[in-house]
Amino acid sequence: MKFSDIRPFVRYARYMTLAKEEGYRPSWAGDARLFFCISGEGEIAAAGDNFKMKTGSLIIINSGIEYEIKSPENHVSYIALNFDYTDKNTHLHLPIPPRTDGEFSSRDIIENIKFSDAPEIQKTLFLPEMHSLSSRLEHLVREYSMRIIFNEIKTSALLAEVLLDAIRSARSETVLGGGGRLDAIVWYIHEHYREPLTNELLGEHFGFHKNYISVIVKEYTGMPLHKYLNHVRISHALDMLNDSDAPIAEIAEKCGFCDIYYFSRYFKQAVGVSPTEYRRNR
């Protein structure tokens, strides 16, 4: 399954606060679990690893994985979700409690999703600094609790955004050690698309080997540098074709293409028609 095919179903959403010496026994769940720490400090164990949860920490635990919410030294508050990645089991709308050792079997797993393009959430995903998700998760809990019209569509959309941001953050951490450097590289491409950007030039600007630049751009955008750069250029060319009557050759030059023939060929490959045909049919 591709990540773009997800249609998350939020089965249960709530706030959870644990005081000192309050915790839960190790257990298994039939659906996926998400915990986001909104205050205090705690600890969650999953698949044999311990994760320190502090404000802004996020953990996603897939179905069938053993986990334990441990008692905090003082107190800890979480936003907690029970969810599926698809909407195939929305008839199971009541919260499904986790089961302890001896009670759980593979038959209790509601869905077992294998993502072909998102290995970050194939297992347990822990991200210690995801403060930006706080408002969306709080919005999600409100939507779930209020149960107003179309709330399932809204909670699904909010959770899809949360999962997408989590994957992007995890990939950034894996490729560059975080710090927003991947965003900086992509933004640089958008700011300088008119220039003859190459792996060598980007590598020199950001202090990476030219081959590594190619790898990280593809990891983050799904396209090698030259394809991503042309994608950005074609997007701007479409804007100019829609909003102006400038000559095709001028548009090609302003969008960074070396000549009109290459521009026309790549435009038709990307859009399906030539620039002239596109303008004629706009």
Side-chain angles (χ1 to χ4, degrees):
M1 175 178 173
K2 290 186 176 181
F3 181 77
S4 57
D5 294 327
I6 68 168
R7 294 176 61 90
F9 170 60
V10 179
R11 183 167 287 110
Y12 192 33
R14 75 283 194 194
Y15 291 98
M16 173 191 295
T17 298
L18 300 178
K20 187 176 182 179
E21 298 183 357
E22 290 182 337
Y24 293 84
R25 291 186 297 168
S27 55
W28 288 257
D31 50 7
R33 302 292 158 104
L34 179 151
F35 298 95
F36 179 80
C37 183
I38 54 177
S39 66
E41 293 186 1
E43 186 174 350
I44 294 178
D49 294 319
N50 293 321
F51 302 96
K52 297 291 184 181
M53 301 292 292
K54 59 181 181 179
T55 303
S57 295
L58 173 81
I59 188 168
I60 299 171
I61 306 169
N62 285 331
S63 58
I65 293 178
E66 182 184 16
Y67 72 98
E68 179 184 1
I69 306 171
K70 298 190 175 184
S71 59
E73 293 184 4
N74 190 359
H75 84 280
V76 63
S77 293
Y78 299 111
I79 288 175
L81 307 182
N82 302 17
F83 71 95
D84 297 337
Y85 289 102
T86 73
D87 59 358
K88 295 179 180 179
N89 294 290
T90 57
H91 61 287
L92 302 173
H93 57 86
L94 295 177
I96 300 173
R99 300 194 179 191
T100 56
D101 191 15
E103 299 176 343
F104 187 82
S105 72
S106 59
R107 294 189 301 273
D108 296 313
I109 297 176
I110 295 173
E111 63 175 15
N112 188 13
I113 301 297
K114 303 293 184 183
F115 289 104
S116 60
D117 55 352
E120 293 84 359
I121 54 173
Q122 201 58 64
K123 298 182 180 180
T124 300
L125 174 60
F126 172 69
L127 297 166
E129 300 287 346
M130 293 299 293
H131 299 274
S132 60
L133 298 181
S134 179
S135 60
R136 263 175 291 177
L137 286 167
E138 289 179 354
H139 188 180
L140 191 157
V141 175
R142 286 197 303 273
E143 283 284 342
Y144 177 86
S145 301
M146 293 173 68
R147 298 283 181 172
I148 57 178
I149 187 170
F150 302 134
N151 75 292
E152 288 188 356
I153 297 175
K154 187 66 173 182
T155 56
S156 178
L158 288 167
L159 180 54
E161 285 189 18
V162 167
L163 294 172
L164 174 58
D165 282 359
I167 290 173
R168 285 180 171 177
S169 180
R171 192 159 298 186
S172 178
E173 290 285 345
T174 300
V175 176
L176 280 181
R181 301 179 74 189
L182 277 171
D183 284 337
I185 293 172
V186 170
W187 184 247
Y188 186 89
I189 293 170
H190 278 261
E191 289 286 287
H192 298 269
Y193 67 91
R194 298 178 182 87
E195 302 169 16
L197 295 180
T198 63
N199 290 332
E200 290 85 352
L201 288 172
L202 278 177
E204 182 178 348
H205 183 82
F206 287 97
F208 294 113
H209 190 278
K210 62 179 182 179
N211 294 337
Y212 189 53
I213 280 288
S214 180
V215 169
I216 61 181
V217 169
K218 186 174 182 179
E219 280 288 327
Y220 203 48
T221 68
M223 292 177 275
L225 173 61
H226 73 282
K227 285 189 176 181
Y228 185 71
L229 178 57
N230 280 339
H231 163 76
V232 174
R233 288 169 170 168
I234 291 297
S235 296
H236 285 279
L238 286 168
D239 290 341
M240 294 185 69
L241 287 167
N242 285 323
D243 300 336
S244 77
D245 293 318
I248 302 297
E250 180 181 330
I251 291 175
E253 181 181 358
K254 287 186 175 181
C255 291
F257 289 94
C258 57
D259 60 65
I260 188 174
Y261 304 105
Y262 177 70
F263 167 63
S264 297
R265 185 171 70 252
Y266 195 87
F267 187 97
K268 187 171 184 177
Q269 178 184 337
V271 181
V273 295
S274 70
T276 302
E277 290 173 306
Y278 181 85
R279 170 171 277 171
R280 185 185 306 129
N281 297 326
R282 66 181 178 181

